């Protein structure tokens, strides 16, 4: 049983306060050395060192984990090697060197390939070294569930206490590249609750919050729903601000009203889409950086397919998907998704006279 498998790991959490530490603890995990980590957590493998993954991996190094990494980008691997991090030529080599694996990849197809493809994490027959595999990619819930089922049929090369089979969690994140660098991500976790508890110290080395969502696939489902709400919210705020300016009310004035009224939301008070209204957000730097529109299209595609599979209505999802697809077709796929304000709705910004 899953509870039996994790009994020994949970007992460690009772005797080792770091094992279940969080950012609210009285000490900073950034200062820990590998000798202060539980032995079964010290060797961590990381596959996928893109904009998000590279920063998450660096925070693991800062937290004292002994890291082994792989990415298809040899230049990125060289940079990690220069930091003293062990690099490998395949995901399978990472798996053979690690007790815990974290993957951060662009799509379901990439995840399937890294796990089950030639020289993938599961390449070595039915025996695995890592006792825990965590996928932080944003993928469809069905793929997450299928991978969890596949991994449950494997056996550990070396038992971890009472645990004989490896565990799989999906833990997609909410937060930008800035949050990944600062270690303030939010993880939405699906899988065994016992595995979630055992993984908390690793997750809190990269984020400020980790929320357990339920069984396999639930973390991926939560992430899709979060990004769907984020897309629709951004479009609604953008449309309202564009309309308001056309009617003679400045975007800054409307933003003040929104943020003191019932329209307040993340898109208005933390990520305003109108250039000139808020500093430090993509709209203040010509929509460079942030969350690319092409990634929003990918996530909305996942939402549409999930809605079809669940036989749910999805009129707003469909419209948001259309708008962001048009943005990408118009050459804005690399710009932050808040660029919908300028390129779809109005072509205006706060510093122009629209009266």
């Amino acid at each position: 049983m899953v509870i039996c498998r994790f009994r020994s790991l949970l007992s460690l959490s009772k005797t080792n306060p770091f094992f279940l530490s969080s950012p609210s603890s009285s000490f900073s995990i950034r200062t820990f050395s590998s000798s202060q980590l539980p032995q079964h957590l010290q060797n961590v493998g990381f596959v996928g060192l893109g904009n998000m993954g590279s920063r998450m991996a660096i925070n693991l190094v800062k937290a004292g984990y002994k890291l082994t990494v792989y990415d298809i980008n040899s230049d990125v691997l060289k940079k990690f090697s220069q930091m003293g991090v062990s690099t490998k030529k395949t995901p399978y080599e990472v798996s053979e060197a690690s007790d815990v694996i974290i993957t951060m990849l662009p799509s379901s197809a990439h995840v399937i390939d890294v796990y089950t493809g030639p020289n993938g994490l599961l390449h070595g027959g039915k025996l695995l070294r890592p006792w825990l595999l965590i996928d932080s990619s944003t993928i469809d819930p069905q793929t997450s569930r299928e991978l969890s089922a596949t991994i449950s049929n494997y056996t550990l090369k070396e038992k971890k206490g009472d645990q004989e089979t490896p565990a799989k969690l999906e833990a997609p994140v909410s937060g930008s590249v800035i949050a990944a660098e600062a270690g303030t991500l939010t993880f939405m976790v699906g899988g065994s609750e016992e595995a979630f508890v055992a993984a908390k110290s690793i997750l809190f080395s990269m984020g400020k919050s980790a929320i357990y969502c339920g069984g396999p696939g639930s973390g991926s489902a939560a992430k899709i729903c979060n990004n769907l709400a984020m897309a629709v919210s951004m479009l609604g705020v953008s449309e309202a601000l564009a309309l308001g300016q056309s009617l003679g009310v400045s975007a800054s004035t409307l933003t003040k009203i929104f943020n003191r009224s019932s329209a307040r939301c993340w898109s208005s008070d933390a990520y305003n889409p109108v250039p000139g209204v808020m500093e430090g957000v993509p709209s203040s730097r010509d929509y460079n950086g942030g969350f690319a529109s092409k990634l929003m299209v990918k996530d909305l595609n996942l939402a549409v397919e999930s809605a079809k599979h669940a036989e749910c209505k999805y009129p707003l999802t469909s419209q948001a998907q259309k708008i962001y697809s048009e943005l990408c077709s118009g050459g804005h796929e690399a710009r932050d998704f808040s660029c919908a304000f300028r390129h779809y709705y109005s072509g205006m910004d706060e510093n122009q006279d629209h009266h």
Side-chain angles (χ1 to χ4, degrees), residues 238 241-242 245 273-275 287 338-343 345-348:
S238 295
L241 290 171
Q245 288 183 100
V274 182
Y287 302 101
S338 62
C339 76
F341 171 80
R342 171 175 285 177
H343 297 290
Y345 283 107
S346 69
M348 300 185 292

Side-chain angles (χ1 to χ4, degrees), residues 200-221:
K200 270 190 173 182
S201 62
I202 291 178
L203 298 177
F204 279 120
S205 295
M206 301 178 287
K208 65 177 181 179
S209 179
I211 301 169
Y212 181 66
C213 302
S218 61
S220 296

